[in-house]
Amino acid sequence: MKFFIDTAELSEVLEARDMGVLDGVTTNPSLMKKASERAGRAVDFHTRIVDICEMVDGDVSAEVTAVTFDGIMAEARVLAALHKNVVVKVPLILEGIKAIRALRIEGIRTNCTLCFSPMQALVAAKAGAQYISPFLGRVDDIASDGVQLLKDIVTIYRNYGFTTEVLAASIRHPIHVVEAARMGAHVATMPLGVIKKLLLHPLTDIGLARFLEDWKSFSA
Ligand code: G3P
């Protein structure tokens, strides 16, 4: 399973990369806004994407903001030209699906975002998306079941042998990651806080404290 970090914050990308388990990065307009707010100035979108690409050896999703076919195509070509690791994030709307197909033909890889139903995911795969991003946390937020959505997508893709990679997104806690791994989702994109939580177990801390204590008295 690949681990991506869901951020546009360079310090967070570095911290996750230095753990040695980072395979890629996903960004979106809201994460860009957050990074700008933290920096106290408007972060240049293209520069930030290139900076991230140079930090991580893996795919980096950069999202279009156009909602027409022509607009999405134009933005996607510019984003894809920034760096070989860029994957263009395209919303799961009619114009987006048309663009995903056309971009596939041009050799530009896409991450189809804002997926909330198995049928949307099926359409995205048929159009030729490299990744599909179901938003687990946002489905849970409306008292529905994000993990079930993910399960349905994985099953449907397996049934037909689609090569589109399932990228579990909008992950809020480690259980989302466990469930995604259990069903064989290809990627989980997580905030830094969730990546760090994957390591935690109280018995590890208690066990380590005991080992160190025993070592101290043994070697004294
Ligand atoms: O990258 C998109 C997705 O992960 C958004 O997450 O927490 O804003 O629902 P969230």
Side-chain angles (χ1 to χ4, degrees):
M1 182 191 225
K2 285 186 242 170
F3 283 181
F4 288 4
I5 186 168
D6 200 27
T7 188
E9 193 64 49
L10 296 180
S11 60
E12 293 186 350
V13 174
L14 277 183
E15 198 175 335
R17 183 201 65 184
D18 290 348
M19 282 172 70
V21 294
L22 189 67
D23 302 298
V25 181
T26 49
T27 69
N28 63 38
S30 304
L31 293 170
M32 282 291 164
K33 181 181 175 210
K34 207 162 145 193
S36 292
E37 283 168 356
R38 277 214 216 162
R41 64 181 168 82
V43 163
D44 180 76
F45 174 38
H46 291 174
T47 308
R48 178 56 56 104
I49 292 295
V50 173
D51 288 346
I52 293 173
C53 286
E54 277 163 11
M55 284 176 177
V56 180
D57 184 20
D59 288 346
V60 175
S61 288
E63 187 158 343
V64 298
T65 50
V67 290
T68 62
F69 174 79
D70 289 339
I72 294 171
M73 292 300 290
E75 279 186 32
R77 289 180 187 124
V78 171
L79 292 173
L82 291 175
H83 195 281
K84 65 174 176 42
N85 291 355
V86 168
V87 175
V88 180
K89 227 173 173 184
V90 177
L92 212 160
I93 55 174
L94 177 59
E95 298 291 289
I97 291 296
K98 290 183 196 168
I100 286 168
R101 160 59 61 192
L103 291 166
R104 171 88 188 198
I105 291 164
E106 285 187 22
I108 293 176
R109 297 180 306 140
T110 55
N111 172 356
C112 187
T113 189
L114 290 167
C115 173
F116 295 95
S117 88
M119 286 302 98
Q120 286 181 315
L122 178 56
V123 173
K126 285 176 71 68
Q130 170 85 22
Y131 294 101
I132 184 70
S133 288
F135 279 27
L136 275 60
R138 291 194 199 182
V139 171
D140 291 353
D141 286 345
I142 57 158
S144 200
D145 189 345
V147 166
Q148 186 58 49
L149 167 64
L150 194 64
K151 210 174 273 175
D152 288 343
I153 296 170
V154 169
T155 302
I156 290 167
Y157 281 11
R158 278 204 189 120
N159 286 347
Y160 295 101
F162 285 114
T163 54
T164 300
E165 292 178 68
V166 180
L167 192 165
S170 185
I171 280 181
R172 303 276 162 77
H173 45 69
I175 290 293
H176 276 151
V177 186
V178 174
E179 291 296 339
R182 225 179 234 159
M183 67 188 74
H186 303 86
V187 190
T189 188
M190 301 163 262
L192 181 62
V194 174
I195 297 179
K196 285 181 174 173
K197 279 184 194 162
L198 299 180
L199 292 174
L200 302 181
H201 199 289
L203 291 181
T204 304
D205 298 338
I206 292 167
L208 180 61
R210 192 179 299 159
F211 283 152
L212 295 180
E213 200 47 46
D214 287 347
W215 183 252
K216 225 189 292 169
S217 46
F218 163 73
S219 58

